């Protein structure tokens, strides 16, 4: 969300180009999700923790890339870190579903899946709200510095990932 805001509003990217710019994250996630899900029961929560750590590495790479190359070619500089973060995301989402639902009796799997999906949707909405608030607050405080606003919002994304990592390790 915040990267597309940065690219479209701050750098004037058309919607298709900003969507294309964040595609490496989706590609990374898609490449690893199925194999990670198959390994989830064998590797356990450590797999999810590793995925969250990889997300943090990728987000740190995006943060550095934006700081070093905040101009119009920023999408090229963020592609590899987004791919890394996407690989981490793929190691989190599917394995987390597998691990969570493996603890539920089959007759309650539908209800458990619904509760899990509801929790994920609430978390996504809250994450977008907090991150968007940080982005737009910093944008106003910096008098329109989109790169700075994006970097500040990335810190909020990292904070959510650190919290999830702490829970995974616990």
């Amino acid at each position: 969300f915040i990267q597309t805001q940065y690219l479209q509003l701050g750098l004037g990217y058309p919607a298709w180009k900003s969507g294309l710019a964040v595609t490496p994250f989706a590609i990374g996630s898609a490449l690893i999700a199925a194999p990670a899900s198959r390994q989830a029961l064998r590797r356990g929560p450590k797999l999810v923790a590793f995925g969250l750590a990889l997300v943090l590495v990728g987000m740190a790479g995006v943060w550095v890339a934006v700081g070093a190359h905040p101009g119009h070619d920023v999408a090229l500089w963020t592609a590899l870190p987004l791919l890394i973060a996407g690989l981490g995301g793929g190691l989190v989402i599917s394995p987390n579903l597998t691990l969570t639902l493996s603890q539920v009796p089959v007759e309650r799997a539908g209800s458990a899946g619904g509760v899990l999906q509801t929790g994920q949707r609430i978390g996504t909405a809250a994450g977008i709200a907090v991150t968007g608030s940080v982005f737009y607050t910093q944008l106003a405080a910096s008098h329109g510095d989109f790169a700075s606003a994006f970097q500040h919002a990335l810190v909020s994304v990292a904070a959510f990932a650190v919290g999830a990592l702490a829970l995974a390790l616990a």
Side-chain angles (χ1 to χ4, degrees), residues 56-127:
L56 286 167
V57 168
M59 290 295 103
V62 170
W63 192 89
V64 168
V66 169
H69 305 281
H72 198 71
D73 63 345
V74 70
L76 296 174
W77 291 98
T78 59
L80 180 60
L82 281 173
L83 178 67
I84 292 167
L87 290 168
L91 290 171
V92 172
I93 296 169
S94 290
N96 190 45
L97 288 168
T98 300
L99 290 169
T100 302
L101 294 179
S102 72
Q103 303 298 311
V104 176
V106 174
E107 62 274 3
R108 296 197 176 172
S111 296
V115 169
L116 185 60
Q117 287 294 315
T118 301
Q120 287 178 331
R121 298 301 169 253
I122 291 169
T124 299

